[in-house]
Amino acid sequence: MAIRKLLLLLKPIDPYPFLQSEGVSLVKSPQVLQYLESRCKVHRNAIKFCQEILNKKPVEWKPVSRNDISHPIRDVDMVITVGGDGTLLHASHFIDDSVPVLGVNSDPTQAHEVEELSDQFDASRSTGQLCAATVENFEQVLDDILFGRVVPSKVSRISLKLNSEPLLSHALNDILIAHPCPAAVSRFSFKIKNKDGETRSKTVNCRSSGLRVCAAAGSTAAMRSAGGYVMPMLSRDLQFMVREPISPSSTAAQMHSAFKPDQSMDVNWYSDHGTIYIDGCHVRYNVQLGDTIEISSDAPVLNVFLSHGFTQVRSRY
């Protein structure tokens, strides 16, 4: 399919408005303020650069702030996000499997900056795991796409049913089912079953701070930080981990594992209150005592242009 109509989805040009109060900066450290101002400038310049490149190409494009997107994105051939993984993640909740997306990391982390300032504050910028381009290679990547030299990868997402009713939102990274108060203990059980309904594991009963399930794209995020393993980007498996289980004893080995595309996980919720967090705080649904949640990889894939090498199998350890 020829790509002629694009949507340029932008992280807000001033991502730190909360740092100002009645015109006075709330940041007192000159170095921190200089660092944040630098990030804003780099991001603005990246947006300007991408727009200048697009003006040279035989395409029609429209810029939109990610904060202004509230409906499914239709009638475009491709979405280009300019920001970081958060902007692409935000876009994914408005894109089905018919519209490919290219992420441009507008503000990559600078190793020398992190080393120089590490004793004073965290100077990390954007990670951009899902972003195939930066200002350094944006035109080349765009040309490769426009001339059909590369195709998007089909990245798996997570599908959810609450009490047998499908939820409209699909997770690209992960879901967390937990009590709304992070200090509270949740009670739930889960089991893995085949799509034909045959149970593949015994029911696991849990008292813990929640349950996290990730797709391949999210295995480098919270799951990895919690001790999980990095999955091949094109894997359709879903990895799960019970967070901070109380006295797991004989069920400890069942608290962290994965299940296949032809399987699903059934969760029974036994606490008064709970919340399903989809991709962090992007989307949330409330659950209550007696609710059931079905988790699978049945969601439409997200077609993402990935950087070279991302489709290679990565080590579990």
Side-chain angles (χ1 to χ4, degrees):
M1 180 185 74
I3 294 177
R4 292 291 179 265
K5 190 174 182 180
L6 309 178
L7 180 69
L8 191 66
L9 195 64
L10 308 174
K11 178 180 177 179
I13 292 179
D14 181 8
Y16 308 112
F18 55 86
L19 298 178
Q20 299 284 333
S21 178
E22 297 180 354
V24 178
S25 174
L26 300 178
V27 179
K28 304 306 178 185
S29 168
Q31 284 184 304
V32 173
L33 187 59
Q34 182 180 21
Y35 161 77
L36 294 176
E37 289 175 344
S38 169
R39 293 202 63 178
C40 291
K41 181 179 179 181
V42 169
H43 177 59
R44 284 195 298 269
N45 288 342
I47 292 174
K48 181 180 178 182
F49 176 82
C50 290
Q51 292 175 331
E52 290 173 349
I53 295 298
L54 287 172
N55 282 334
K56 299 192 302 182
K57 307 301 176 180
V59 295
E60 174 187 346
W61 61 276
K62 174 184 177 182
V64 177
S65 170
R66 73 182 186 195
N67 292 346
D68 295 332
I69 294 293
S70 58
H71 299 287
I73 296 173
R74 310 286 190 199
D75 302 323
V76 297
D77 299 322
M78 184 172 74
V79 172
I80 299 176
T81 64
V82 183
D85 286 335
T87 303
L88 193 148
L89 198 63
H90 185 90
S92 74
H93 290 277
F94 302 94
I95 301 174
D96 60 18
D97 55 0
S98 66
V99 180
V101 58
L102 167 67
V104 180
N105 187 356
S106 64
D107 185 29
T109 292
Q110 306 298 316
H112 71 278
E113 186 178 48
V114 173
E115 182 177 357
E116 179 183 341
L117 300 172
S118 60
D119 287 340
Q120 300 167 57
F121 61 91
D122 181 8
S124 300
R125 295 179 178 240
S126 176
T127 303
Q129 285 280 94
L130 296 171
C131 297
T134 65
V135 294
E136 300 296 329
N137 67 348
F138 173 64
E139 185 168 17
Q140 180 61 59
V141 171
L142 181 62
D143 284 344
D144 286 343
I145 293 171
L146 296 180
F147 286 98
R149 292 192 287 262
V150 296
V151 295
S153 297
K154 298 183 181 300
V155 178
S156 185
R157 291 192 275 191
I158 303 173
S159 174
L160 291 145
K161 292 182 180 179
L162 178 58
N163 298 324
S164 300
E165 290 295 324
L167 299 184
L168 296 179
S169 298
H170 307 302
L172 177 60
N173 266 4
D174 54 29
I175 65 164
L176 171 65
I177 311 174
H179 194 281
C181 172
V185 173
S186 297
R187 291 175 178 265
F188 58 93
S189 69
F190 68 86
K191 61 184 177 182
I192 308 299
K193 68 178 185 181
N194 287 343
K195 293 296 177 64
D196 60 9
E198 178 186 358
T199 300
R200 297 295 298 173
S201 68
K202 292 183 178 180
T203 296
V204 180
N205 297 304
C206 303
R207 289 183 299 154
S208 79
S209 60
L211 172 70
R212 188 183 304 279
V213 182
C214 79
S219 65
T220 61
M223 184 65 77
R224 184 182 187 185
S225 298
Y229 56 89
V230 177
M231 303 162 67
M233 183 58 80
L234 300 188
S235 171
R236 295 297 307 277
D237 293 356
L238 298 182
Q239 183 182 169
F240 68 87
M241 180 182 290
V242 176
R243 295 202 314 169
E244 303 161 338
I246 297 175
S247 304
S249 61
S250 61
T251 61
Q254 302 173 63
M255 298 294 174
H256 176 213
S257 189
F259 53 99
K260 299 294 183 181
D262 60 350
Q263 298 174 325
S264 63
M265 171 184 278
D266 280 356
V267 180
N268 291 288
W269 192 254
Y270 297 127
S271 293
D272 288 342
H273 303 287
T275 303
I276 303 173
Y277 298 93
I278 298 179
D279 286 338
C281 60
H282 281 258
V283 184
R284 60 184 74 175
Y285 294 89
N286 292 327
V287 294
Q288 57 189 4
L289 180 67
D291 281 349
T292 61
I293 304 111
E294 181 181 319
I295 306 166
S296 72
S297 57
D298 281 346
V301 298
L302 185 70
N303 287 299
V304 188
F305 291 98
L306 297 174
S307 59
H308 175 71
F310 230 142
T311 59
Q312 296 178 2
V313 174
R314 298 193 177 198
S315 171
R316 174 172 178 150
Y317 302 102

